[in-house]
Amino acid sequence: MLDRLQRLLGLQTIPGVFFTSAGVAALFVLVAVPFDQAVADAFGALTGWIARNLGWFYILSVTSLLIFLLGLALSRYGSIRLGADDSRPDYSNLTWFTMLFAAGIGTILMFWGVAEPVSHFANPPFDGVTANSEGAASDAMTIALYHFGLHTWTIFAMPGLAIAYFAYRHNLPMRISSLFYPILGDRIYGPLGWAVDVIAVLGTLFGVATSLGLGTLQLNSGLSYLFGTPSTGWVQVLIIAVITSIAATSVALGLDKGVRRLSQINIVLAMLLILFVAVVGPTVFIAEGMVQSVGNYFSDLPWLAFWTQTFTESDWQRQWTLFYWAWTISWAPYVGIFIARISRGRTIREFVAGVLFAPSVFTLVWFGVFGLSAINVEMGGQVALAELVQQDPSVAIFAFLEAFPLAEMASLLSIVIIIIFFTTSSDSASLVIDMLTRRDDQPSLVRQRIFWAAAQGIIAATLLLAGGLDALQNVITSLGLPFCVLLIFMAVSLFRALAADYRGYTVSELVQGRVFPEVEGASVQKGES
């Protein structure tokens, strides 16, 4: 029946993946629009249950994956290449690092770069820390780096490494289901594999929709600041419609003409904004604070990575850490595939070092410039930044820029950056979702890519109308859990394949049970008896 429907619509897809994903998304919208409050309450209750009972699982999973990746890089498997043994990287180190910066969290940094440090400075999450104190400022930066540093990039690196390994070394399709070939074998081409890809598609769809929703709130605040535009639901829906239209145009043009050009423009504009704040802001304070923040981050990371608020009755971790991990996990298929596509020929050791540490340095610079400057503004009393952020975090960057010269021009530049950031996120995600829902031998149809871009916009508008920021956080925290489980199995699958690869076996031989176990602590190589 699905095959017949596909022919009728003139699509090129894997019907079980495409129509199931589209159907679940449509069902969500159809239920959420007339019953918005009931849906918001249901996801709120589900998120509360997850936070109480499985919050520790999110924390332990992401930290364990970080340890796993570092262990792989330092192990005997670190020299295995993502491709043939004689392959070499497609891009220079500098080009590769630059592309990594644009891959993941630019959209998130624009929203939280000011809002998060100021929030923690004014409301410290740790017992015994006084608000607006030196200790609160230090902790605020440490928490921000924890949320956006190595742990975030671990979530992106895990699927990115696995996708690159199985695609370039074993010629499997560049889909999430391929990562489970050592466990499922040829069943990845049937319902079990389709189920994995459906989870990846829905995670990406709702993750990008959440980002689009947050960007819409931020754009509405910026337009209100500059032009007095009202902050209402209909304005936000209009903003989403405009961004979705731009994204649809970009995705129709394709990767090189659309996505790539927008990404290049946006990196330049983002760097201009960073330089502006660094030069007109407290430059020496920023430099000193960045150096100190690095030390504090690595000093506190061992205990912070396992901190679960066990002895504190607080909702803080659900609102911050669990939301971030779930949100990042929902982005993992999209960003993982992007990173895999630019990483052919690198060794596992090079991949892990580059993907974990290079973007984390950029995160340090971003929070060093915006976060430290925002704390300095709050300490100096130039703007009641903390009070404004508590009322509405989407106004953070615009209220912050009021403390500097050329505030209106800088705010206008920020609006342009936000629009392009969210447009590139949407169109890139549409390309990836289209890839996940069709076979490699099928062409990528423009109408399919536009459909997914439109779906992101519709879901974002639905989430905003169903409860705004709280709805965005609750839905993504709930939906991130299934893919978090997949990440664990992904690590197991990758390790099994690497162990076989190191001994000279293919993944097909691994699935067929032809890989010999280790004997007396030594590897038995292929062909030995």
Side-chain angles (χ1 to χ4, degrees), residues 68-70 72-74 77-83 89 93 96-97 100 103 150 153-165 168 332 335-359 494:
F68 171 75
L69 289 174
L70 292 174
L72 277 187
L74 296 174
Y77 306 128
S79 59
I80 294 177
R81 288 197 176 273
L82 303 176
N93 286 339
W96 186 57
F97 291 156
L100 287 176
L150 294 176
W153 286 95
T154 290
I155 296 170
F156 294 150
M158 185 66 250
L161 175 60
I163 290 166
Y165 173 78
Y168 298 140
V335 180
I337 287 177
F338 175 82
I339 294 174
R341 291 184 67 180
I342 65 175
S343 299
R344 183 202 299 264
R346 296 194 174 274
T347 66
I348 289 176
R349 189 170 294 119
E350 290 173 336
F351 180 95
V352 171
V355 175
L356 287 186
F357 290 97
L494 177 62

Side-chain angles (χ1 to χ4, degrees), residues 285-324:
F285 179 80
I286 291 171
E288 291 176 343
M290 283 181 12
V291 173
Q292 181 171 310
S293 296
V294 170
N296 291 338
Y297 170 60
F298 283 107
S299 174
D300 293 343
L301 187 60
W303 72 264
L304 193 58
F306 294 94
W307 179 58
T308 59
Q309 278 197 306
T310 304
F311 307 107
T312 305
E313 291 292 332
S314 170
D315 201 35
W316 183 90
Q317 200 159 56
R318 180 189 70 81
Q319 294 179 333
W320 294 95
T321 307
L322 298 187
F323 168 59
Y324 281 144

Side-chain angles (χ1 to χ4, degrees), residues 229-241:
T229 305
S231 296
T232 61
W234 70 266
V235 172
Q236 293 164 6
V237 170
L238 181 60
I239 291 172
I240 289 175

Side-chain angles (χ1 to χ4, degrees), residues 2 25-26 29 47 87 97 126 180 243 246 249 336-337 386 435 489 522:
L2 293 181
V29 172
T47 299
S87 63
F97 291 156
F126 304 133
F180 297 88
I243 293 178
I246 298 172
T249 302
I337 287 177
M435 184 186 303
F489 283 101

Side-chain angles (χ1 to χ4, degrees), residues 49-170:
W49 184 89
I50 290 174
R52 289 190 303 273
N53 297 282
L54 293 174
W56 61 270
F57 177 73
Y58 270 118
I59 302 298
L60 180 61
S61 296
V62 179
T63 297
S64 298
L65 289 173
L66 172 58
I67 296 171
F68 171 75
L69 289 174
L70 292 174
L72 277 187
L74 296 174
S75 74
R76 60 188 181 182
Y77 306 128
S79 59
I80 294 177
R81 288 197 176 273
L82 303 176
D85 289 335
D86 59 351
S87 63
R88 290 297 179 267
D90 293 340
Y91 301 97
S92 68
N93 286 339
L94 181 60
T95 302
W96 186 57
F97 291 156
T98 303
M99 291 163 69
L100 287 176
F101 294 152
I105 56 175
T107 52
I108 307 173
L109 292 179
M110 281 299 294
F111 193 94
W112 295 110
V114 170
E116 174 158 8
V118 169
S119 295
H120 303 327
F121 178 58
N123 296 284
F126 304 133
D127 294 335
V129 179
T130 304
N132 303 318
S133 65
E134 180 182 344
S138 178
D139 289 343
M141 290 300 298
T142 299
I143 294 168
L145 294 178
Y146 166 54
H147 283 155
F148 293 99
L150 294 176
H151 278 70
T152 282
W153 286 95
T154 290
I155 296 170
F156 294 150
M158 185 66 250
L161 175 60
I163 290 166
Y165 173 78
F166 285 108
Y168 298 140
R169 197 158 178 91
H170 297 288

Side-chain angles (χ1 to χ4, degrees), residues 402-416:
E402 288 184 11
F404 299 98
L406 305 174
E408 290 191 2
M409 185 178 297
S411 294
L412 185 59
L413 176 61
S414 297
I415 288 176
V416 173

